[in-house]
Amino acid sequence: MRRRDFIKVVAGSAVAWPLTVHAQSQLKVLRVGAVFPAPRSRPQWQALEHRLSDLGYRDGANYIMDYVKIPRVAEADYKTEYLKLMERHADIIVSGGPEISLRAAIATVGTRPIVMVAIDYDPLDRGYVESLAHPGGNVTGVFLQQIELAEKRVQVLLEAFPDIRAATVFWDPVSTDQWKATQLAAQKLGLNLASIEFRKQPYDYEAALVQAPPDRRDALIVLTSPVLVSDRSQLSEFAIKHRMRSMGVAREYADAGCLLTYGANLAEMYARAADYIDRLAKGTFPADLPIEQPTKFELVVNLKTAKALGISLSPALIARADQVIE
């Protein structure tokens, strides 16, 4: 994927950040802090660290990656660990995933630069930045217009399976905005939905399915949140077990067995976050470092799952796919 295909950069200027840490300095080792509910080994985070390596950063040599895994998605847990990162003198904070991660970071890290990877929310609509061209504070990074993609996913599902008249949607509090957008898209396109909201962890998908009328179980649309993405393999197996054609929001879902996915490459987004870390470390003001958005989205089709479901996919759909898993 070419960078110019992936990134839409809103023009902005770059000036020196007064509290900057120069990665090349021998007097100071850059410390990058991050708090996530997922392990450091997940593909998206590995993409960020690989990109930092490409940029000349060596963990333990000229920078330290202070990665903290929290046991649950809770704002109090984020705040507690962000405060500890401040005690360990983190220079730059990476906030990825749900909105509560960024909200907690803003509340606890003071003026430290924050690189966000906004997956589940619109930072401009929520008021965290003044504009995409000039964020205006200490927050910048990458923003996925997840809400805008909701209609496209419903459209892709209906184009792939014109016989589908109803579907079940799995969502949780983090993905509320995605659910609202999916609901509006379905109404517009004539798809009836059964809404299943999860609140108590761990999510019990088997127990929840009984809430969906049998005539709305032909397809399963799974939205994204830290919990849902962590359960993507379980959800894919669940959909196959119940003979449901599944639609996910990113290729990681297809890699785990989801039948169809449509969205941005999340690993590429996290790799771009590494470029932000580098520019901040070298003296760019976060207030004037434009927020970037992906402009290329990929359709992934899992033929192994289609075979397990005993269904055939049209040659046109397969030809249209950016990736086919066989």
Side-chain angles (χ1 to χ4, degrees):
M1 184 184 301
R2 296 175 300 175
R3 184 171 301 174
R4 66 175 178 270
D5 290 333
F6 176 76
I7 296 297
K8 175 174 63 180
V9 184
V10 189
S13 60
V15 295
W17 175 248
L19 300 179
T20 188
V21 180
H22 293 277
Q24 67 270 28
S25 172
Q26 297 180 356
L27 301 178
K28 173 70 175 179
V29 174
L30 175 69
R31 180 177 286 270
V32 179
V35 179
F36 282 86
R40 186 173 173 178
S41 60
R42 67 187 182 135
Q44 297 97 317
W45 191 260
Q46 287 299 299
L48 182 149
E49 295 202 44
H50 289 158
R51 177 58 181 159
L52 282 176
S53 178
D54 291 342
L55 292 168
Y57 294 86
R58 298 293 179 265
D59 195 4
N62 60 349
Y63 95 106
I64 294 172
M65 180 59 70
D66 196 343
Y67 187 100
V68 180
K69 182 182 181 302
I70 52 177
R72 58 177 183 159
V73 182
E75 191 164 353
D77 290 10
Y78 278 106
K79 286 183 176 180
T80 296
E81 296 304 331
Y82 281 136
L83 287 172
K84 292 179 181 178
L85 288 176
M86 293 302 95
E87 293 173 359
R88 295 195 292 269
H89 306 292
D91 300 299
I92 298 172
I93 296 297
V94 179
S95 169
E99 181 183 1
I100 59 173
S101 170
L102 180 61
R103 189 165 61 230
I106 291 173
T108 54
V109 306
T111 59
R112 297 291 202 290
I114 300 172
V115 177
M116 67 174 177
V117 183
I119 303 295
D120 310 305
Y121 61 97
D122 183 336
L124 182 60
D125 181 67
R126 290 287 198 268
Y128 296 117
V129 297
E130 294 177 4
S131 72
L132 299 183
H134 298 281
N138 62 325
V139 178
T140 187
V142 187
F143 156 45
L144 172 62
Q145 53 272 46
Q146 192 74 264
I147 310 306
E148 299 172 22
L149 294 174
E151 181 173 345
K152 185 63 177 180
R153 293 190 185 104
V154 174
Q155 181 181 338
V156 169
L157 179 65
L158 291 175
E159 289 174 353
F161 304 106
D163 61 309
I164 289 180
R165 295 292 179 267
T168 296
V169 182
F170 282 177
W171 60 287
D172 61 11
V174 171
S175 51
T176 298
D177 288 347
Q178 297 171 55
W179 156 244
K180 292 178 180 178
T182 301
Q183 187 178 34
L184 289 174
Q187 291 173 354
K188 178 181 177 180
L189 296 172
L191 180 68
N192 295 315
L193 298 180
S195 165
I196 306 295
E197 180 186 8
F198 296 90
R199 288 186 174 273
K200 184 179 179 181
Q201 300 181 35
Y203 295 167
D204 189 337
Y205 302 112
E206 292 290 344
L209 188 61
V210 300
Q211 301 175 41
D215 63 351
R216 300 196 177 187
R217 300 180 189 177
D218 284 345
L220 176 66
I221 301 173
V222 181
L223 305 184
T224 188
S225 73
V227 177
L228 291 171
V229 74
S230 295
D231 288 350
R232 61 191 182 278
S233 294
Q234 179 184 349
L235 285 163
S236 298
E237 293 170 2
F238 170 90
I240 292 173
K241 175 183 175 181
H242 292 281
R243 318 300 295 173
M244 302 174 78
R245 290 164 281 189
S246 52
M247 166 63 79
V249 302
R251 65 174 298 161
E252 285 78 6
Y253 284 73
D255 290 338
C258 189
L259 179 62
L260 301 173
T261 64
Y262 183 80
N265 188 313
L266 299 184
E268 179 71 15
M269 290 183 67
Y270 275 86
R272 288 297 296 159
D275 291 299
Y276 277 84
I277 293 171
D278 179 53
R279 293 181 68 180
L280 290 169
K282 291 177 177 176
T284 304
F285 259 126
D288 295 319
L289 187 54
I291 292 169
E292 300 179 350
Q293 294 177 278
T295 58
K296 185 178 187 302
F297 306 101
E298 55 185 9
L299 171 64
V300 183
V301 174
N302 192 318
L303 291 184
K304 290 177 61 178
T305 298
K307 182 177 180 180
L309 290 170
I311 61 176
S312 298
L313 301 178
S314 71
L317 177 67
I318 295 173
R320 177 184 171 188
D322 297 281
Q323 182 181 358
V324 176
I325 299 174
E326 300 188 56

